[in-house]
Each structure stands twice: as C-alpha cells, then as structure tokens.
Amino acid sequence: LVVGLVIPQSKSLPSAAEPVFSPIMDSTPAQLTLELMPQQDVDPVEPELEQELEPDSESVDCSKLACIALTFDDGPDQNTLKILASLNKRGAKATFFVVGTQVRANPEIAKAIVDSGHEIGAHSYSHKRLTRLGNYELEMDFGKTNKLIREATGVEPKTFRPPYGIHSPRVREAAGLPTVMWSVDPQDWRTRSSRQSVRWVLNHAEPGAIVVMHDPLISTVNALPVILRELTERGYHFVTVSDLIQDMQPGEIYIARK
C-alpha cells in the first residue's frame, strides 16, 4: 500500500510541497536503515536440509501458473552469497535491489547475482531518502549507481526500488525505470526473526505477489530455505520481477501482478 501527500511540486529542489509516496509504517527511517547490518536471528527456525533441484527448463507462463517474485534489498554482501546458494539449490530466480556503495565494495558478489541468472535492480547509491535530494543530486545518485552495476555485472538495471519505499513523481522521473514496490513484507528489518519471516510470507503469499526481504540479515538467510520449500510444495514458481510483470514502463509503480 502507498499513501500520497499531494501538494505543489518543485522543479528544482525538494520541499514539503512535493508529492511524496511512502508505505504505511510506524518506524522512523533511522530505525529502518540496515547500514548497521546483520544482527543475530532472535527466533530461528530449524535448519533446513536443502534438496538441490533443477531450474525450470523453459520460461514460466505466469498467466497460467502460480508465480511469486522474491526480492532482496540492501546488498550485496557476504550473506548475499548464502541467499544465492539457497536459491540456486531450488532452481529459484529472484531480484536483488542493490545499493551502489555495496556494489562498489562487493563487485564480485554483484556479478555472481547476474551470473546465477537472477535479476539486478537499483536501490540508490547510499540508501538516502531520495525525496530530500535536489534534481542534480538525484541525477548523480542514479548515474553513479547504474555505472557501478554496469561495471560490476555487464548489465544495466531493469528496475528501481526507492530506499524506505519512499518516492515521488520527481524521483520516479529521475530514475527512468519502472518503480517496483511490494505486496508482502515480513518486516525482517524489524523482527530479525527467521521464524516470524517464514510465518508472515507463508500466510500472505499469493500468485502474483512481490515479497520484499533484506539479504544482509542473517535471519532472512535462515528463513529463505524454509520459505522456498513450503512454497514449492504449494506449487509456486519463483521468478524475477521482470518475468512476473512483463512490459513494465518507466515511471510506473508496480506492487504485484494483477
């Protein structure tokens, strides 16, 4: 869900008059920022013995099959490699919304995402609230982020997700990419509990859903194998956002497949 505050828009600098769209949340951005990164898994699930499966041999038709898009924000880092291992064992595809500074620090992990057949999207250069940046700052932010992704992986990001889920028409125009939000949020950044993440995702999963999680969190690393197993048993196919929702348009907002 998004809420909008609609007021006159500045063409140069951000102001309180800019229309800003933000997920409904009761935490401050400081509480949401994952720059402090991994904490312990406060309520771990039982370790999962992962069975290695082959990926779908042909592209999945999400108009006929139950598809779901798992997305991971704020990497890449060392825990991303564990996320990739779990996905690859299940033959599952996912989308990673990466931060420019993290790509600069871990270019080989960013490349591993793409080399494993997953999708990479932009999540800003340093996880600032983009609606507070001026037009030139936005241009520099997106330019640096996309350049780092291109140099590390050889591909351009296809999609964009704003930090904290906060965006505006001006930010979306500067991004020049489809804006991907989510329909299922286990709030792993808040709970730091793999058990609660598993419960939330399994209770709210539905065909066409986009799930947001954070790969730097060890609780998410621990939750993923169970989520993959349980949803596979329900008949779900794990696809990238671009495969879930084809023909996405720059500047448009996507929360789930209709």
Side-chain angles (χ1 to χ4, degrees):
L1 293 175
V2 294
V3 293
L5 306 176
V6 183
I7 29 205
Q9 184 175 353
S10 167
K11 293 184 178 179
S12 56
L13 295 176
S15 71
E18 181 178 357
V20 174
F21 299 84
S22 169
I24 297 172
M25 35 177 113
D26 56 6
S27 295
T28 65
Q31 290 173 298
L32 301 182
T33 301
L34 293 176
E35 290 170 359
L36 297 178
M37 291 303 178
Q39 297 182 4
Q40 66 180 5
D41 188 345
V42 299
D43 187 15
V45 292
E46 292 297 321
E48 174 76 5
L49 296 177
E50 298 175 83
Q51 178 184 0
E52 189 160 350
L53 300 175
E54 291 294 325
D56 291 312
S57 57
E58 299 179 357
S59 60
V60 176
D61 186 348
C62 293
S63 67
K64 299 178 180 178
L65 299 172
C67 294
I68 194 166
L70 302 181
T71 67
F72 299 91
D73 291 6
D74 293 355
D77 74 351
Q78 291 302 312
N79 278 343
T80 306
L81 295 174
K82 300 174 184 177
I83 295 287
L84 289 174
S86 292
L87 292 168
N88 295 342
K89 286 179 181 178
R90 282 280 176 182
K93 298 304 178 190
T95 300
F96 291 79
F97 290 96
V98 298
V99 176
T101 53
Q102 291 294 99
V103 175
R104 185 178 62 186
N106 303 289
E108 73 289 349
I109 302 178
K111 188 174 188 302
I113 292 172
V114 173
D115 288 348
S116 297
H118 305 288
E119 183 174 22
I120 204 160
H123 195 46
S124 85
Y125 178 71
S126 57
H127 213 276
K128 293 180 180 178
R129 189 186 291 209
L130 298 179
T131 53
R132 293 177 175 173
L133 302 184
N135 290 348
Y136 177 75
E137 293 174 294
L138 283 174
E139 181 181 348
M140 293 299 294
D141 190 287
F142 289 119
K144 286 191 297 184
T145 304
N146 294 351
K147 183 175 184 287
L148 284 165
I149 292 172
R150 182 171 60 252
E151 290 177 346
T153 68
V155 302
E156 295 279 353
K158 295 181 179 180
T159 55
F160 157 69
R161 174 172 287 162
Y164 315 113
I166 299 172
H167 56 91
S168 69
R170 187 175 61 88
V171 168
R172 297 195 300 275
E173 181 180 0
L177 295 168
T179 299
V180 176
M181 301 295 283
W182 56 83
S183 58
V184 177
D185 180 6
Q187 299 195 345
D188 53 351
W189 49 266
R190 182 199 296 274
T191 70
R192 310 295 172 111
S193 162
S194 57
R195 190 177 301 277
Q196 291 190 47
S197 290
V198 167
R199 184 183 302 119
W200 186 271
V201 173
L202 297 185
N203 286 343
H204 294 83
E206 60 183 3
I210 298 175
V211 182
V212 58
M213 293 183 283
H214 297 83
D215 39 326
L217 297 176
I218 192 62
S219 56
T220 297
V221 171
N222 293 340
L224 181 59
V226 180
I227 291 170
L228 291 170
R229 183 198 67 202
E230 292 295 324
L231 292 182
T232 297
E233 291 179 356
R234 296 183 189 181
Y236 279 91
H237 297 261
F238 303 97
V239 299
T240 66
V241 170
S242 292
D243 285 334
L244 181 72
I245 309 172
Q246 298 182 357
D247 300 321
M248 290 187 290
Q249 299 300 311
E252 296 297 319
I253 306 166
Y254 299 90
I255 296 174
R257 179 187 172 93
K258 295 180 180 179

